[in-house]
Amino acid sequence: MGRNPSCCCPSLIPSRETLQFYLLGVLIALYMLVGAAIFSSLERPAEIQAHRLWEHRLMNFSHEYNVSCEELKSLLLYYEEARTAGIRTERSRALWDVPGAFYFVGTVVSTIGFGVTAPSTVLGKVLLVFYGLLGCSGAILFFNLFLERVIVLLSLLIFWCHTRRSRHSRPKDRNNESNRKEDWKPSVYLVTLLLFLAVMLVACGAASLYSVMEGWTYLESLYFCFVAFSTVGFGDFVSSQRKHHEKTWAYQVANCLLMLLGVCCTYSLFNAIAVIMKQGLNWILRTLIWIYNHMQHHRLQSRTLLKLCFSDSEPPARPLEDETPHRQQQQAASCSGHSMLWRSCVPSAFGKCLCDEAKVETVCHNSKDEEDFGIQEQGDGPYERNSVYAKPLPGWLS
């Protein structure tokens, strides 16, 4: 938005980037509210049912084995604490051997953070803060460099297809071809589409592997791929955690490579979508500014019409001394002839419009009088203008 130089506080006028920031914050908040309402309506009944089922099973177990509920809950509390150290009801692979620790630092650096493995010692927690600060920064830099090279590769691929198609449709011209190569840029929509296809290809291939190795359904495997590749990492599904996975080195290596490739591709896709979202924010801002300008324009017109309609004083008349073509000419017009002007008048208590007794006069006068009234039109002469004003109502109606 351009700043008004006459404003006494130009620093208070937000820039376009600031308006984008505010608008994006509002849209994200609304998006989160809508998502909260949807997921609450979907998941809340299942949560209530699970709570009821758990209470029922707890009471049945307490009566069957003659164990008090308080003792049973204390045992379950101890088990919840033991889960942090990797204790599970089913035998699983070791969490803190070298492969397990490498898997843990991979989830930290990539910002996935499944939550299955977490440090339990105080020194480990303190070290994790500084280790993650440096590791996450390096990983984000790696993702950005990966994005740059992916964009270059996709641009070259798109340009190769574009030039190959244009060679078949047009005769060869090296000068025009070199100029098109310098000026041509790939569309962000096409790059986003290709990145989306790449992410889907990696996710579908990884889901096929996870469904076989982990025993999940294909839909659950796709769900895990999105949660892991987007670095959300809920922890409800975690790969390579079973006991027999310790001996499958090929699967562990493939899992790490798929994680790395999936996170890089998904990060690139998110950046491309963010560019499209920024274009959408610019369009919304332009639309809001256009609506605001039109509202201001109609507001000024309405003020001018109301000022003319409810004027109580008659402007001074010019003496009819000169008969030149640029002097005064008066024309009386009824309210029906100026229905657009008197449309906003208020009916009187007698049930008739007060505008029926009013008249509109068109008088030629100088520019000083034109400044007192808002509506002006260019006349025939070089110094002549027409200004419209309302003649006062009769005294018995005022």
Side-chain angles (χ1 to χ4, degrees):
M1 295 178 62
R3 296 190 177 185
N4 189 4
S6 63
C7 182
C8 59
C9 298
S11 61
L12 298 179
I13 301 177
S15 61
R16 182 176 293 274
E17 290 76 12
T18 305
L19 291 176
Q20 288 179 355
F21 173 75
Y22 293 152
L23 180 59
L24 183 60
V26 172
L27 292 178
I28 289 177
L30 293 175
Y31 188 77
M32 293 173 64
L33 288 175
V34 172
I38 293 175
F39 284 104
S40 177
S41 62
L42 292 176
E43 300 296 333
R44 181 58 179 169
E47 180 187 12
I48 295 175
Q49 185 179 0
H51 277 281
R52 292 176 179 175
L53 182 60
W54 170 249
E55 293 293 336
H56 179 69
R57 289 177 177 177
L58 188 64
M59 293 298 296
N60 289 339
F61 187 86
S62 176
H63 289 297
E64 183 177 356
Y65 295 96
N66 196 15
V67 179
S68 63
C69 293
E70 289 75 11
E71 294 178 354
L72 185 57
K73 289 181 179 179
S74 63
L75 178 62
L76 294 174
L77 182 61
Y78 293 149
Y79 175 72
E80 289 178 359
E81 295 177 356
R83 283 184 63 90
T84 306
I87 305 299
R88 300 291 185 272
T89 54
E90 297 180 358
R91 289 296 301 271
S92 61
R93 61 179 303 274
L95 298 180
W96 291 108
D97 58 351
V98 175
F102 183 80
Y103 187 83
F104 164 73
V105 296
T107 59
V108 172
V109 169
S110 61
T111 68
I112 296 177
F114 287 117
V116 175
T117 309
S120 58
T121 61
V122 177
L123 185 59
K125 294 178 180 178
V126 173
L127 179 61
L128 179 63
V129 175
F130 299 97
Y131 184 86
L133 181 64
L134 185 61
C136 293
S137 302
I140 292 176
L141 178 60
F142 178 81
F143 294 155
N144 289 327
L145 295 177
F146 179 85
L147 174 61
E148 292 177 2
R149 278 140 187 82
V150 167
I151 295 299
V152 171
L153 179 61
L154 292 179
S155 300
L156 292 176
L157 179 62
I158 296 172
F159 180 74
W160 178 76
C161 297
H162 177 73
T163 53
R164 186 176 181 181
R165 183 176 55 185
S166 61
R167 285 176 183 176
H168 293 286
S169 60
R170 298 179 183 178
K172 295 183 178 180
D173 190 351
R174 295 183 177 179
N175 295 327
N176 294 334
E177 184 178 355
S178 61
N179 293 331
R180 288 196 302 268
K181 185 175 181 180
E182 294 178 356
D183 299 335
W184 184 86
K185 292 182 180 179
S187 173
V188 64
Y189 303 102
L190 185 57
V191 172
T192 304
L193 177 60
L194 293 178
L195 287 174
F196 177 76
L197 294 177
V199 170
M200 291 301 299
L201 180 62
V202 175
C204 291
S208 301
L209 178 63
Y210 291 139
S211 62
V212 174
M213 298 299 297
E214 300 293 342
W216 302 332
T217 63
Y218 192 77
L219 184 60
E220 291 175 345
S221 301
L222 283 176
Y223 164 78
F224 167 75
C225 289
F226 173 77
V227 172
F229 296 166
S230 61
T231 70
V232 176
F234 291 124
D236 50 352
F237 289 90
V238 183
S239 62
S240 186
Q241 296 298 310
R242 294 190 175 187
K243 180 65 177 178
H244 62 273
H245 290 160
E246 292 182 351
K247 300 179 181 180
T248 54
W249 287 90
Y251 172 65
Q252 294 182 16
V253 173
N255 182 32
C256 293
L257 293 178
L258 286 174
M259 286 286 180
L260 179 62
L261 182 61
V263 170
C264 290
C265 293
T266 307
Y267 179 83
S268 303
L269 178 62
F270 286 166
N271 279 273
I273 295 176
V275 174
I276 298 178
M277 292 178 64
K278 191 172 183 180
Q279 293 180 355
L281 291 175
N282 289 330
W283 179 82
I284 293 175
L285 287 177
R286 288 195 300 266
T287 304
L288 293 177
I289 292 173
W290 180 81
I291 294 174
Y292 175 78
N293 291 334
H294 276 263
M295 290 177 63
Q296 289 293 105
H297 178 69
H298 290 297
R299 183 179 179 183
L300 291 176
Q301 287 186 346
S302 300
R303 282 185 177 181
T304 304
L305 294 177
L306 290 175
K307 182 177 179 181
L308 294 174
C309 183
F310 296 100
S311 178
D312 294 331
S313 60
E314 183 177 2
R318 293 291 180 179
L320 299 175
E321 295 178 356
D322 196 355
E323 299 298 334
T324 59
H326 301 291
R327 304 305 295 173
Q328 297 180 351
Q329 294 178 354
Q330 295 186 352
Q331 276 186 340
S334 63
C335 181
S336 61
H338 297 79
S339 60
M340 293 295 292
L341 180 63
W342 302 106
R343 185 66 61 187
S344 59
C345 291
V346 182
S348 66
F350 299 99
K352 60 182 295 185
C353 181
L354 300 181
C355 304
D356 295 337
E357 300 296 332
K359 294 182 179 180
V360 177
E361 296 181 356
T362 304
V363 182
C364 299
H365 50 77
N366 57 14
S367 61
K368 182 177 180 181
D369 292 332
E370 292 173 353
E371 295 177 357
D372 297 334
F373 304 94
I375 302 179
Q376 298 178 358
E377 295 180 358
Q378 187 68 32
D380 296 333
Y383 302 103
E384 182 178 0
R385 293 178 182 271
N386 294 330
S387 178
V388 181
Y389 63 91
K391 189 173 182 180
L393 299 174
W396 63 274
L397 289 176
S398 57

